Amino acid sequence: MAEDRRVRKSKKAIKNAFIQLLKEKNIEYITIQQISDLADVNRGTFYLNYEDKYALLEEMEDEQIEKIKSFADFRKLDINNQNAETFIEDFSEKIIKNVVRHISENLEFYQIIFNLERKSKIEEQIADIVRSNLMHLIGNKEDVFGIPVNYYLSYVIGSMMSMIKYWVSDHEQVSIDEFVQYISTIASTGPLSIMKRLVDEKREK
């Protein structure tokens, strides 16, 4: 038990050190010695836990993904006994807000991970979670009201990830509730409907 605590403490120190170094330089230029020195552990301790810095990054990403998977699942919502409007409210409150809150609680990590020069594994995994949830609703259909499924998924996933990444890096970041409301409004109303309202407003002036 004491050994387990020591291992957890060492791994936590290594991860914290890695995060701090990633804030300062590209992952390619970070050495195991730098991580070990900042974490106050020896190189042997690092290699007892991780094959290299990429294995370390992968474990950190996997930990975040597992947390998101634990509460980002459409199947936990009672779709059969809801209309579309109440489902959107339920989805926003129980899934989107939980995901955004999780990201907010680990903001420094996500700020760094979304700014890596390469596309992060976690970004791909979040996209897969969104895709899996949508496919649960779509089922075996080849299109969504005339739109081929892959085109529909590409648009929804791309716009969702873009909004999340923008919010994470925004220096004037709005609150979690405001951000969730933005996502819900755009998702339920649609960008073109919003554009139509803007055009109507201009014509009325």
Side-chain angles (χ1 to χ4, degrees):
M1 186 67 71
E3 183 177 351
D4 288 344
R5 283 198 296 270
R6 284 198 297 271
V7 170
R8 288 197 299 269
K9 185 177 179 181
S10 294
K11 293 182 76 170
K12 183 177 180 180
I14 289 169
K15 290 171 184 175
N16 287 340
F18 193 37
I19 285 290
Q20 294 309 307
L21 289 166
L22 283 169
K23 288 167 66 176
E24 301 167 5
K25 58 182 75 179
N26 187 284
I27 188 172
E28 306 298 333
Y29 302 110
I30 296 174
T31 66
I32 303 304
Q33 190 64 59
Q34 289 170 335
I35 298 171
S36 301
D37 288 346
L38 192 56
D40 196 24
V41 300
N42 59 51
R43 285 167 58 89
T45 299
F46 180 94
Y47 284 115
L48 277 174
N49 293 289
Y50 303 105
E51 180 181 346
D52 54 28
K53 58 191 174 184
Y54 300 103
L56 167 59
L57 179 62
E58 184 172 347
E59 178 174 295
M60 293 169 72
E61 290 177 315
D62 285 344
E63 286 173 349
Q64 300 299 319
I65 284 298
E66 286 308 309
K67 291 175 185 176
I68 291 176
K69 283 181 177 179
S70 69
F71 47 68
D73 190 344
F74 270 12
R75 287 165 290 192
K76 294 180 179 179
L77 303 181
D78 185 11
I79 298 176
N80 296 326
N81 295 314
Q82 297 188 78
N83 59 35
E85 188 172 319
T86 57
F87 170 74
I88 290 296
E89 291 175 2
D90 210 22
F91 170 66
S92 297
E93 194 66 26
K94 295 181 179 177
I95 293 185
I96 295 179
K97 184 176 284 189
N98 281 336
V99 171
V100 174
R101 184 181 291 115
H102 162 75
I103 291 173
S104 178
E105 290 170 352
N106 299 273
L107 190 60
E108 185 177 57
F109 173 80
Y110 283 94
Q111 286 172 333
I112 291 166
I113 216 73
F114 287 152
N115 279 303
L116 292 176
E117 289 192 3
R118 66 171 178 80
K119 189 174 183 180
S120 69
K121 176 183 177 182
I122 201 167
E123 190 174 337
E124 296 173 350
Q125 291 278 356
I126 291 174
D128 284 343
I129 290 170
V130 176
R131 183 180 293 105
S132 175
N133 277 313
L134 289 172
M135 288 307 299
H136 176 64
L137 288 177
I138 295 167
N140 296 321
K141 295 178 182 178
E142 294 184 359
D143 64 80
V144 180
F145 301 112
I147 304 168
V149 168
N150 286 337
Y151 279 88
Y152 174 75
L153 292 174
S154 176
Y155 179 81
V156 174
I157 294 168
S159 57
M160 180 74 73
M161 284 305 307
S162 181
M163 281 191 75
I164 289 172
K165 290 172 74 173
Y166 183 84
W167 181 76
V168 163
S169 63
D170 188 4
H171 296 301
E172 299 179 356
Q173 194 177 84
V174 298
S175 69
I176 292 172
D177 286 338
E178 285 179 289
F179 182 52
V180 170
Q181 185 58 52
Y182 295 165
I183 293 175
S184 179
T185 299
I186 294 173
S188 59
T189 307
L192 289 180
S193 293
I194 293 173
M195 287 173 65
K196 180 179 180 300
R197 288 167 59 185
L198 290 171
V199 170
D200 289 341
E201 282 182 3
K202 277 190 171 293
R203 291 174 60 187
E204 289 170 5
K205 288 181 179 179

